[in-house]
Amino acid sequence: MLKDWLTSERIQIRTDITDWREAVEVSAEPLLKEGTITPDYLTAIFAQREKLGPYFVLAPGIAMPHARPEEGANGLGLSLLTLPPGVKFNSEDNDPVYTVVMLSAPDKHSHIELISELAELFSSDEDMQKIHQAKTIHEIQEVISRY
């Protein structure tokens, strides 16, 4: 199922990003472009970050920015950005971040299966390492096609 959500249009590899904020903005671009999220969604993510710190850095090397459905989520969506050199998100235990997965959910229930598949992927150190080191979008798609 992840391969259905993480199409080539929703996957980016960027080596030029050095700031966590820019990484979040760039990861949102595919979902903004297709209207899955609104600019308010990003505003909400940044506001929560100010209040709670880097709440969306889930594990070493992995960030999953998201906001509440009513804060600008028009639909269910995922995008993936890899940052081969790594970017500091000011998460003491989990920096640097190499993979940013932007999640959008229009309600509290529709994303449960998607989260489950992402959790499976995130728990595979071997597959996450392959994603972190991928040089092409096709290499990333090969990994996610197994989930």
Side-chain angles (χ1 to χ4, degrees), residues 14-24 57 61 63 81-91 94-100:
R14 295 281 298 268
T15 58
D16 60 327
I17 297 172
T18 58
D19 173 73
W20 72 267
R21 191 177 193 90
E22 182 184 8
V24 171
V57 182
L81 167 67
T82 62
L83 306 158
V87 172
K88 289 188 178 187
F89 275 60
N90 301 314
S91 174
N94 299 316
D95 272 344
V97 168
Y98 298 101
T99 302
V100 181

PDB file of all heavy atoms in Angstrom, residues 14-24 57 61 63 81-91 94-100:
ATOM      1  N   ARG A  14      17.114  15.418  -1.815  1.00  0.00           N
ATOM      2  CA  ARG A  14      17.732  16.753  -1.852  1.00  0.00           C
ATOM      3  C   ARG A  14      19.003  16.761  -1.006  1.00  0.00           C
ATOM      4  O   ARG A  14      18.975  16.353   0.153  1.00  0.00           O
ATOM      5  CB  ARG A  14      16.758  17.804  -1.319  1.00  0.00           C
ATOM      6  CG  ARG A  14      15.505  18.014  -2.159  1.00  0.00           C
ATOM      7  CD  ARG A  14      15.750  18.879  -3.366  1.00  0.00           C
ATOM      8  NE  ARG A  14      16.174  20.212  -3.002  1.00  0.00           N
ATOM      9  CZ  ARG A  14      15.346  21.252  -2.823  1.00  0.00           C
ATOM     10  NH1 ARG A  14      14.045  21.108  -2.972  1.00  0.00           N
ATOM     11  NH2 ARG A  14      15.837  22.428  -2.486  1.00  0.00           N
ATOM     12  N   THR A  15      20.080  17.226  -1.604  1.00  0.00           N
ATOM     13  CA  THR A  15      21.359  17.309  -0.894  1.00  0.00           C
ATOM     14  C   THR A  15      21.690  18.735  -0.489  1.00  0.00           C
ATOM     15  O   THR A  15      22.702  18.966   0.168  1.00  0.00           O
ATOM     16  CB  THR A  15      22.498  16.765  -1.777  1.00  0.00           C
ATOM     17  OG1 THR A  15      22.533  17.531  -2.987  1.00  0.00           O
ATOM     18  CG2 THR A  15      22.304  15.300  -2.095  1.00  0.00           C
ATOM     19  N   ASP A  16      20.853  19.693  -0.863  1.00  0.00           N
ATOM     20  CA  ASP A  16      21.155  21.112  -0.661  1.00  0.00           C
ATOM     21  C   ASP A  16      20.458  21.727   0.549  1.00  0.00           C
ATOM     22  O   ASP A  16      20.603  22.918   0.812  1.00  0.00           O
ATOM     23  CB  ASP A  16      20.775  21.899  -1.913  1.00  0.00           C
ATOM     24  CG  ASP A  16      19.294  21.784  -2.262  1.00  0.00           C
ATOM     25  OD1 ASP A  16      18.693  20.709  -2.014  1.00  0.00           O
ATOM     26  OD2 ASP A  16      18.726  22.758  -2.790  1.00  0.00           O
ATOM     27  N   ILE A  17      19.719  20.957   1.306  1.00  0.00           N
ATOM     28  CA  ILE A  17      18.954  21.492   2.441  1.00  0.00           C
ATOM     29  C   ILE A  17      19.768  21.323   3.720  1.00  0.00           C
ATOM     30  O   ILE A  17      20.239  20.228   4.026  1.00  0.00           O
ATOM     31  CB  ILE A  17      17.590  20.788   2.558  1.00  0.00           C
ATOM     32  CG1 ILE A  17      16.759  21.079   1.302  1.00  0.00           C
ATOM     33  CG2 ILE A  17      16.856  21.231   3.818  1.00  0.00           C
ATOM     34  CD1 ILE A  17      15.472  20.294   1.223  1.00  0.00           C
ATOM     35  N   THR A  18      19.908  22.409   4.474  1.00  0.00           N
ATOM     36  CA  THR A  18      20.695  22.369   5.707  1.00  0.00           C
ATOM     37  C   THR A  18      19.896  22.803   6.939  1.00  0.00           C
ATOM     38  O   THR A  18      20.402  22.752   8.043  1.00  0.00           O
ATOM     39  CB  THR A  18      21.936  23.274   5.587  1.00  0.00           C
ATOM     40  OG1 THR A  18      21.500  24.604   5.301  1.00  0.00           O
ATOM     41  CG2 THR A  18      22.869  22.784   4.488  1.00  0.00           C
ATOM     42  N   ASP A  19      18.646  23.211   6.744  1.00  0.00           N
ATOM     43  CA  ASP A  19      17.823  23.753   7.818  1.00  0.00           C
ATOM     44  C   ASP A  19      16.563  22.900   7.983  1.00  0.00           C
ATOM     45  O   ASP A  19      15.904  22.568   6.996  1.00  0.00           O
ATOM     46  CB  ASP A  19      17.441  25.199   7.453  1.00  0.00           C
ATOM     47  CG  ASP A  19      16.455  25.803   8.420  1.00  0.00           C
ATOM     48  OD1 ASP A  19      16.877  26.109   9.548  1.00  0.00           O
ATOM     49  OD2 ASP A  19      15.277  25.954   8.041  1.00  0.00           O
ATOM     50  N   TRP A  20      16.221  22.552   9.213  1.00  0.00           N
ATOM     51  CA  TRP A  20      15.060  21.698   9.470  1.00  0.00           C
ATOM     52  C   TRP A  20      13.772  22.302   8.940  1.00  0.00           C
ATOM     53  O   TRP A  20      12.911  21.606   8.417  1.00  0.00           O
ATOM     54  CB  TRP A  20      14.925  21.360  10.955  1.00  0.00           C
ATOM     55  CG  TRP A  20      14.471  22.502  11.819  1.00  0.00           C
ATOM     56  CD1 TRP A  20      15.254  23.377  12.503  1.00  0.00           C
ATOM     57  CD2 TRP A  20      13.118  22.912  12.060  1.00  0.00           C
ATOM     58  NE1 TRP A  20      14.483  24.304  13.156  1.00  0.00           N
ATOM     59  CE2 TRP A  20      13.163  24.040  12.894  1.00  0.00           C
ATOM     60  CE3 TRP A  20      11.877  22.438  11.638  1.00  0.00           C
ATOM     61  CZ2 TRP A  20      12.008  24.695  13.326  1.00  0.00           C
ATOM     62  CZ3 TRP A  20      10.730  23.098  12.072  1.00  0.00           C
ATOM     63  CH2 TRP A  20      10.802  24.208  12.908  1.00  0.00           C
ATOM     64  N   ARG A  21      13.641  23.614   9.081  1.00  0.00           N
ATOM     65  CA  ARG A  21      12.411  24.286   8.635  1.00  0.00           C
ATOM     66  C   ARG A  21      12.238  24.152   7.122  1.00  0.00           C
ATOM     67  O   ARG A  21      11.145  23.857   6.622  1.00  0.00           O
ATOM     68  CB  ARG A  21      12.453  25.753   9.074  1.00  0.00           C
ATOM     69  CG  ARG A  21      11.149  26.472   8.898  1.00  0.00           C
ATOM     70  CD  ARG A  21      11.282  27.910   9.440  1.00  0.00           C
ATOM     71  NE  ARG A  21       9.986  28.506   9.547  1.00  0.00           N
ATOM     72  CZ  ARG A  21       9.203  28.465  10.608  1.00  0.00           C
ATOM     73  NH1 ARG A  21       9.607  27.854  11.692  1.00  0.00           N
ATOM     74  NH2 ARG A  21       8.020  29.022  10.602  1.00  0.00           N
ATOM     75  N   GLU A  22      13.322  24.365   6.394  1.00  0.00           N
ATOM     76  CA  GLU A  22      13.273  24.207   4.943  1.00  0.00           C
ATOM     77  C   GLU A  22      12.968  22.757   4.579  1.00  0.00           C
ATOM     78  O   GLU A  22      12.223  22.480   3.635  1.00  0.00           O
ATOM     79  CB  GLU A  22      14.595  24.653   4.311  1.00  0.00           C
ATOM     80  CG  GLU A  22      14.584  24.564   2.803  1.00  0.00           C
ATOM     81  CD  GLU A  22      15.918  24.909   2.157  1.00  0.00           C
ATOM     82  OE1 GLU A  22      16.922  25.086   2.871  1.00  0.00           O
ATOM     83  OE2 GLU A  22      15.941  24.971   0.915  1.00  0.00           O
ATOM     84  N   ALA A  23      13.517  21.815   5.320  1.00  0.00           N
ATOM     85  CA  ALA A  23      13.252  20.393   5.057  1.00  0.00           C
ATOM     86  C   ALA A  23      11.757  20.094   5.193  1.00  0.00           C
ATOM     87  O   ALA A  23      11.178  19.391   4.361  1.00  0.00           O
ATOM     88  CB  ALA A  23      14.067  19.518   6.003  1.00  0.00           C
ATOM     89  N   VAL A  24      11.123  20.634   6.216  1.00  0.00           N
ATOM     90  CA  VAL A  24       9.684  20.427   6.411  1.00  0.00           C
ATOM     91  C   VAL A  24       8.908  21.073   5.257  1.00  0.00           C
ATOM     92  O   VAL A  24       7.996  20.461   4.690  1.00  0.00           O
ATOM     93  CB  VAL A  24       9.222  20.969   7.780  1.00  0.00           C
ATOM     94  CG1 VAL A  24       7.702  20.954   7.891  1.00  0.00           C
ATOM     95  CG2 VAL A  24       9.840  20.143   8.907  1.00  0.00           C
ATOM     96  N   VAL A  57      10.071  14.274  15.236  1.00  0.00           N
ATOM     97  CA  VAL A  57      11.253  13.441  14.999  1.00  0.00           C
ATOM     98  C   VAL A  57      11.036  12.171  15.822  1.00  0.00           C
ATOM     99  O   VAL A  57      11.139  12.175  17.040  1.00  0.00           O
ATOM    100  CB  VAL A  57      12.557  14.164  15.372  1.00  0.00           C
ATOM    101  CG1 VAL A  57      13.757  13.273  15.060  1.00  0.00           C
ATOM    102  CG2 VAL A  57      12.675  15.487  14.614  1.00  0.00           C
ATOM    103  N   GLY A  61      17.125   9.555  12.764  1.00  0.00           N
ATOM    104  CA  GLY A  61      17.133   9.768  11.320  1.00  0.00           C
ATOM    105  C   GLY A  61      15.791   9.940  10.659  1.00  0.00           C
ATOM    106  O   GLY A  61      15.720  10.156   9.451  1.00  0.00           O
ATOM    107  N   ALA A  63      11.887  11.817  10.576  1.00  0.00           N
ATOM    108  CA  ALA A  63      10.916  12.818  11.021  1.00  0.00           C
ATOM    109  C   ALA A  63       9.610  12.614  10.251  1.00  0.00           C
ATOM    110  O   ALA A  63       9.627  12.279   9.068  1.00  0.00           O
ATOM    111  CB  ALA A  63      11.441  14.227  10.776  1.00  0.00           C
ATOM    112  N   LEU A  81      10.865  12.830   1.675  1.00  0.00           N
ATOM    113  CA  LEU A  81      12.050  13.605   1.302  1.00  0.00           C
ATOM    114  C   LEU A  81      13.250  12.956   1.969  1.00  0.00           C
ATOM    115  O   LEU A  81      13.226  12.726   3.179  1.00  0.00           O
ATOM    116  CB  LEU A  81      11.899  15.051   1.798  1.00  0.00           C
ATOM    117  CG  LEU A  81      13.139  15.938   1.776  1.00  0.00           C
ATOM    118  CD1 LEU A  81      13.584  16.229   0.343  1.00  0.00           C
ATOM    119  CD2 LEU A  81      12.869  17.236   2.530  1.00  0.00           C
ATOM    120  N   THR A  82      14.272  12.651   1.176  1.00  0.00           N
ATOM    121  CA  THR A  82      15.508  12.181   1.801  1.00  0.00           C
ATOM    122  C   THR A  82      16.537  13.298   1.746  1.00  0.00           C
ATOM    123  O   THR A  82      16.583  14.083   0.806  1.00  0.00           O
ATOM    124  CB  THR A  82      16.085  10.903   1.147  1.00  0.00           C
ATOM    125  OG1 THR A  82      16.425  11.169  -0.199  1.00  0.00           O
ATOM    126  CG2 THR A  82      15.103   9.764   1.229  1.00  0.00           C
ATOM    127  N   LEU A  83      17.339  13.334   2.788  1.00  0.00           N
ATOM    128  CA  LEU A  83      18.369  14.356   2.977  1.00  0.00           C
ATOM    129  C   LEU A  83      19.689  13.634   3.208  1.00  0.00           C
ATOM    130  O   LEU A  83      20.100  13.441   4.351  1.00  0.00           O
ATOM    131  CB  LEU A  83      18.010  15.225   4.188  1.00  0.00           C
ATOM    132  CG  LEU A  83      16.617  15.852   4.169  1.00  0.00           C
ATOM    133  CD1 LEU A  83      16.152  16.227   5.558  1.00  0.00           C
ATOM    134  CD2 LEU A  83      16.608  17.050   3.237  1.00  0.00           C
ATOM    135  N   PRO A  84      20.353  13.188   2.133  1.00  0.00           N
ATOM    136  CA  PRO A  84      21.551  12.360   2.290  1.00  0.00           C
ATOM    137  C   PRO A  84      22.617  12.891   3.259  1.00  0.00           C
ATOM    138  O   PRO A  84      23.149  12.103   4.035  1.00  0.00           O
ATOM    139  CB  PRO A  84      22.082  12.230   0.869  1.00  0.00           C
ATOM    140  CG  PRO A  84      20.849  12.327   0.023  1.00  0.00           C
ATOM    141  CD  PRO A  84      19.975  13.335   0.731  1.00  0.00           C
ATOM    142  N   PRO A  85      22.898  14.198   3.278  1.00  0.00           N
ATOM    143  CA  PRO A  85      23.903  14.608   4.264  1.00  0.00           C
ATOM    144  C   PRO A  85      23.365  14.660   5.691  1.00  0.00           C
ATOM    145  O   PRO A  85      24.125  14.726   6.644  1.00  0.00           O
ATOM    146  CB  PRO A  85      24.319  16.011   3.812  1.00  0.00           C
ATOM    147  CG  PRO A  85      23.367  16.446   2.773  1.00  0.00           C
ATOM    148  CD  PRO A  85      22.518  15.273   2.388  1.00  0.00           C
ATOM    149  N   GLY A  86      22.039  14.623   5.836  1.00  0.00           N
ATOM    150  CA  GLY A  86      21.423  14.732   7.156  1.00  0.00           C
ATOM    151  C   GLY A  86      21.240  16.188   7.554  1.00  0.00           C
ATOM    152  O   GLY A  86      22.013  17.053   7.170  1.00  0.00           O
ATOM    153  N   VAL A  87      20.177  16.451   8.308  1.00  0.00           N
ATOM    154  CA  VAL A  87      19.850  17.798   8.765  1.00  0.00           C
ATOM    155  C   VAL A  87      19.533  17.725  10.257  1.00  0.00           C
ATOM    156  O   VAL A  87      18.807  16.836  10.701  1.00  0.00           O
ATOM    157  CB  VAL A  87      18.647  18.375   7.990  1.00  0.00           C
ATOM    158  CG1 VAL A  87      18.181  19.687   8.587  1.00  0.00           C
ATOM    159  CG2 VAL A  87      18.993  18.555   6.520  1.00  0.00           C
ATOM    160  N   LYS A  88      20.065  18.666  11.012  1.00  0.00           N
ATOM    161  CA  LYS A  88      19.764  18.728  12.446  1.00  0.00           C
ATOM    162  C   LYS A  88      18.381  19.343  12.654  1.00  0.00           C
ATOM    163  O   LYS A  88      18.090  20.411  12.136  1.00  0.00           O
ATOM    164  CB  LYS A  88      20.814  19.553  13.175  1.00  0.00           C
ATOM    165  CG  LYS A  88      22.136  18.844  13.254  1.00  0.00           C
ATOM    166  CD  LYS A  88      23.106  19.566  14.142  1.00  0.00           C
ATOM    167  CE  LYS A  88      24.384  18.742  14.179  1.00  0.00           C
ATOM    168  NZ  LYS A  88      25.339  19.237  15.116  1.00  0.00           N
ATOM    169  N   PHE A  89      17.564  18.630  13.421  1.00  0.00           N
ATOM    170  CA  PHE A  89      16.223  19.093  13.778  1.00  0.00           C
ATOM    171  C   PHE A  89      16.175  19.493  15.248  1.00  0.00           C
ATOM    172  O   PHE A  89      15.122  19.711  15.798  1.00  0.00           O
ATOM    173  CB  PHE A  89      15.192  17.995  13.497  1.00  0.00           C
ATOM    174  CG  PHE A  89      14.692  17.945  12.083  1.00  0.00           C
ATOM    175  CD1 PHE A  89      15.547  17.724  11.019  1.00  0.00           C
ATOM    176  CD2 PHE A  89      13.341  18.106  11.812  1.00  0.00           C
ATOM    177  CE1 PHE A  89      15.081  17.661   9.720  1.00  0.00           C
ATOM    178  CE2 PHE A  89      12.861  18.044  10.519  1.00  0.00           C
ATOM    179  CZ  PHE A  89      13.735  17.818   9.466  1.00  0.00           C
ATOM    180  N   ASN A  90      17.316  19.531  15.891  1.00  0.00           N
ATOM    181  CA  ASN A  90      17.429  19.831  17.314  1.00  0.00           C
ATOM    182  C   ASN A  90      16.719  18.792  18.178  1.00  0.00           C
ATOM    183  O   ASN A  90      16.115  19.114  19.189  1.00  0.00           O
ATOM    184  CB  ASN A  90      16.937  21.248  17.626  1.00  0.00           C
ATOM    185  CG  ASN A  90      17.724  22.280  16.857  1.00  0.00           C
ATOM    186  OD1 ASN A  90      18.945  22.224  16.814  1.00  0.00           O
ATOM    187  ND2 ASN A  90      17.031  23.199  16.224  1.00  0.00           N
ATOM    188  N   SER A  91      16.819  17.552  17.739  1.00  0.00           N
ATOM    189  CA  SER A  91      16.301  16.425  18.509  1.00  0.00           C
ATOM    190  C   SER A  91      17.515  15.691  19.071  1.00  0.00           C
ATOM    191  O   SER A  91      18.216  14.986  18.343  1.00  0.00           O
ATOM    192  CB  SER A  91      15.491  15.489  17.610  1.00  0.00           C
ATOM    193  OG  SER A  91      15.113  14.339  18.325  1.00  0.00           O
ATOM    194  N   ASN A  94      17.811  11.942  18.276  1.00  0.00           N
ATOM    195  CA  ASN A  94      17.516  11.417  16.947  1.00  0.00           C
ATOM    196  C   ASN A  94      18.154  12.155  15.773  1.00  0.00           C
ATOM    197  O   ASN A  94      17.899  11.809  14.627  1.00  0.00           O
ATOM    198  CB  ASN A  94      16.004  11.356  16.756  1.00  0.00           C
ATOM    199  CG  ASN A  94      15.348  10.441  17.759  1.00  0.00           C
ATOM    200  OD1 ASN A  94      15.839   9.350  18.019  1.00  0.00           O
ATOM    201  ND2 ASN A  94      14.255  10.871  18.344  1.00  0.00           N
ATOM    202  N   ASP A  95      18.935  13.185  16.031  1.00  0.00           N
ATOM    203  CA  ASP A  95      19.617  13.913  14.950  1.00  0.00           C
ATOM    204  C   ASP A  95      20.826  13.132  14.464  1.00  0.00           C
ATOM    205  O   ASP A  95      21.416  12.381  15.244  1.00  0.00           O
ATOM    206  CB  ASP A  95      20.084  15.286  15.440  1.00  0.00           C
ATOM    207  CG  ASP A  95      19.034  16.367  15.282  1.00  0.00           C
ATOM    208  OD1 ASP A  95      18.071  16.161  14.530  1.00  0.00           O
ATOM    209  OD2 ASP A  95      19.188  17.423  15.916  1.00  0.00           O
ATOM    210  N   PRO A  96      21.226  13.333  13.228  1.00  0.00           N
ATOM    211  CA  PRO A  96      20.559  14.117  12.190  1.00  0.00           C
ATOM    212  C   PRO A  96      19.419  13.323  11.549  1.00  0.00           C
ATOM    213  O   PRO A  96      19.366  12.098  11.626  1.00  0.00           O
ATOM    214  CB  PRO A  96      21.670  14.375  11.171  1.00  0.00           C
ATOM    215  CG  PRO A  96      22.588  13.199  11.311  1.00  0.00           C
ATOM    216  CD  PRO A  96      22.522  12.798  12.761  1.00  0.00           C
ATOM    217  N   VAL A  97      18.513  14.049  10.894  1.00  0.00           N
ATOM    218  CA  VAL A  97      17.395  13.442  10.180  1.00  0.00           C
ATOM    219  C   VAL A  97      17.803  13.249   8.726  1.00  0.00           C
ATOM    220  O   VAL A  97      18.339  14.165   8.099  1.00  0.00           O
ATOM    221  CB  VAL A  97      16.132  14.324  10.298  1.00  0.00           C
ATOM    222  CG1 VAL A  97      15.045  13.873   9.330  1.00  0.00           C
ATOM    223  CG2 VAL A  97      15.616  14.307  11.736  1.00  0.00           C
ATOM    224  N   TYR A  98      17.559  12.052   8.223  1.00  0.00           N
ATOM    225  CA  TYR A  98      17.857  11.718   6.829  1.00  0.00           C
ATOM    226  C   TYR A  98      16.600  11.531   5.992  1.00  0.00           C
ATOM    227  O   TYR A  98      16.655  11.622   4.774  1.00  0.00           O
ATOM    228  CB  TYR A  98      18.681  10.426   6.746  1.00  0.00           C
ATOM    229  CG  TYR A  98      20.008  10.527   7.426  1.00  0.00           C
ATOM    230  CD1 TYR A  98      20.207   9.997   8.693  1.00  0.00           C
ATOM    231  CD2 TYR A  98      21.080  11.168   6.801  1.00  0.00           C
ATOM    232  CE1 TYR A  98      21.434  10.097   9.326  1.00  0.00           C
ATOM    233  CE2 TYR A  98      22.311  11.273   7.436  1.00  0.00           C
ATOM    234  CZ  TYR A  98      22.476  10.731   8.689  1.00  0.00           C
ATOM    235  OH  TYR A  98      23.694  10.849   9.317  1.00  0.00           O
ATOM    236  N   THR A  99      15.483  11.237   6.651  1.00  0.00           N
ATOM    237  CA  THR A  99      14.230  10.987   5.931  1.00  0.00           C
ATOM    238  C   THR A  99      13.098  11.743   6.613  1.00  0.00           C
ATOM    239  O   THR A  99      12.905  11.619   7.820  1.00  0.00           O
ATOM    240  CB  THR A  99      13.902   9.477   5.899  1.00  0.00           C
ATOM    241  OG1 THR A  99      14.989   8.788   5.282  1.00  0.00           O
ATOM    242  CG2 THR A  99      12.636   9.208   5.111  1.00  0.00           C
ATOM    243  N   VAL A 100      12.364  12.520   5.800  1.00  0.00           N
ATOM    244  CA  VAL A 100      11.203  13.262   6.283  1.00  0.00           C
ATOM    245  C   VAL A 100       9.980  12.737   5.528  1.00  0.00           C
ATOM    246  O   VAL A 100       9.940  12.784   4.300  1.00  0.00           O
ATOM    247  CB  VAL A 100      11.345  14.783   6.038  1.00  0.00           C
ATOM    248  CG1 VAL A 100      10.126  15.529   6.566  1.00  0.00           C
ATOM    249  CG2 VAL A 100      12.622  15.313   6.663  1.00  0.00           C
TER     250      VAL A 100
END
